[in-house]
Amino acid sequence: MQKHFPGILLLLAGVVLAAVSFPAHQVRPLSPGVSRGDLRKLLPKHSVLPPVARFDDLSIPQDPQDQERRVHRDRLKGLDNHRVIHDPGVREIDGQAESIALTIVDGVQILKPGEVPDPVGLPILGSIIVIGTVTSGSAYMNEEHTRLFSEYKVAVEEVLKPDPKSAISTREEITAWRSGGSLQFPSGHITHFITSGRGFPEVGTQYVFFLRRPDETVKDYAINTAYSVKDQVVLALDDIAYSRPFDGMTVKDFLDKLRKEISTRREGGNG
């Protein structure tokens, strides 16, 4: 079980750790006058650009399960809520056609008595861990125009740590998501809603995903973190201190380490 407290408490305690569940958020105002290069500097080095949603796109998924996922997702507490998002009405702000809304995340992990802490970089406790390839990605805004989500379909190839509430089988396609994305307004202006240190996965790329299931009533997975598998090495999706030790490690060494740590926690009752 993991609990999180507001960032100000963390600073007073002198302990700030990367969150792997719903953290405290501080949403900074829009940063006017930015370029695509500025966005690249803010995103982790192994992240692709966020998927883009259209402000005036009111379409809903045809699949009833996807509709249900969106409804339940929007009810979750602790996500970054913005004031109602409006079209600025002009394409350029301070001479630029793009702006950034940046969310800062603070969090701390609290262990129950007897639990083995996660190794740095591997958020195993509370995570469902799978190897899968991203087959598609898109962004959408909720009906209230207060949240933006990036949603991905992931073809599962191997389950390393199962979902205790619902089995995931190989070759199954699951839905995974992150808060944020890019939003294009009718005026032509684009705002990028991103979280500091958090990246966006690439369609067509294989990842080791660390997922959580925020709502037990629906099979929908939020992305804790992930490592892409490219050229026999793993690359951290997120630019967070705890993920850096594994960035660039060989796939074999990474998976050997991960499987060993999963086994240790299963034997110790943490799984």
Side-chain angles (χ1 to χ4, degrees):
M1 178 179 175
Q2 302 171 27
K3 297 179 181 178
H4 297 86
F5 300 92
I8 188 170
L9 296 181
L10 300 179
L11 294 175
L12 290 174
V15 179
V16 179
L17 298 177
V20 293
S21 187
F22 293 135
H25 291 77
Q26 303 171 19
V27 182
R28 290 185 178 177
L30 298 184
S31 302
V34 301
S35 66
R36 188 60 58 95
D38 294 319
L39 175 62
R40 278 290 187 190
K41 292 176 183 177
L42 286 173
L43 288 171
K45 62 181 178 180
H46 301 306
S47 170
V48 298
L49 294 175
V52 181
R54 293 184 60 86
F55 183 83
D56 53 359
D57 183 3
L58 303 179
S59 62
I60 60 175
Q62 295 184 348
D63 187 336
Q65 290 184 331
D66 286 337
Q67 295 177 26
E68 183 182 15
R69 289 185 185 99
R70 291 192 178 187
V71 170
H72 283 259
R73 197 178 298 159
D74 200 38
R75 292 174 180 168
L76 297 174
K77 297 180 180 180
L79 297 181
D80 45 315
N81 278 325
H82 301 268
R83 294 181 179 179
V84 175
I85 302 167
H86 296 286
D87 186 346
V90 294
R91 178 178 176 82
E92 294 190 354
I93 299 176
D94 288 355
Q96 296 290 340
E98 301 181 24
S99 58
I100 294 174
L102 179 65
T103 298
I104 307 297
V105 178
D106 288 330
V108 65
Q109 183 184 70
I110 305 298
L111 299 175
K112 292 192 293 187
E115 283 188 330
V116 180
D118 282 334
V120 175
L122 300 177
I124 296 171
L125 287 176
S127 288
I128 298 115
I129 306 172
V130 304
I131 300 174
T133 298
V134 180
T135 59
S136 66
S138 60
Y140 74 93
M141 186 169 55
N142 67 351
E143 292 183 1
E144 289 75 21
H145 289 193
T146 56
R147 288 179 176 176
L148 195 69
F149 294 93
S150 290
E151 188 176 61
Y152 302 91
K153 296 296 184 182
V154 177
V156 176
E157 289 136 28
E158 185 176 354
V159 179
L160 301 178
K161 185 170 180 280
D163 181 348
K165 301 297 182 180
S166 180
I168 299 176
S169 59
T170 56
R171 299 184 181 179
E172 180 180 352
E173 189 174 71
I174 61 175
T175 302
W177 59 271
R178 278 202 141 162
S179 293
S182 296
L183 183 61
Q184 183 173 26
F185 296 98
S187 64
H189 188 78
I190 298 175
T191 298
H192 307 285
F193 295 83
I194 63 175
T195 300
S196 178
R198 308 283 174 162
F200 296 89
E202 181 180 28
V203 174
T205 296
Q206 184 184 64
Y207 288 85
V208 181
F209 280 105
F210 294 75
L211 307 169
R212 66 179 182 272
R213 190 172 173 183
D215 188 333
E216 294 182 357
T217 66
V218 61
K219 200 168 184 178
D220 188 39
Y221 300 97
I223 300 172
N224 276 341
T225 195
Y227 293 85
S228 65
V229 178
K230 292 185 176 181
D231 300 323
Q232 300 305 309
V233 299
V234 295
L235 303 173
L237 176 64
D238 299 328
D239 184 17
I240 299 173
Y242 73 74
S243 65
R244 292 170 190 157
F246 296 102
D247 193 39
M249 179 180 283
T250 67
V251 175
K252 181 182 183 305
D253 288 346
F254 178 81
L255 291 179
D256 285 348
K257 169 71 172 176
L258 178 56
R259 289 190 173 102
K260 180 180 178 180
E261 295 293 348
I262 292 172
S263 178
T264 297
R265 278 148 190 76
R266 185 179 297 120
E267 292 169 3
N270 286 10

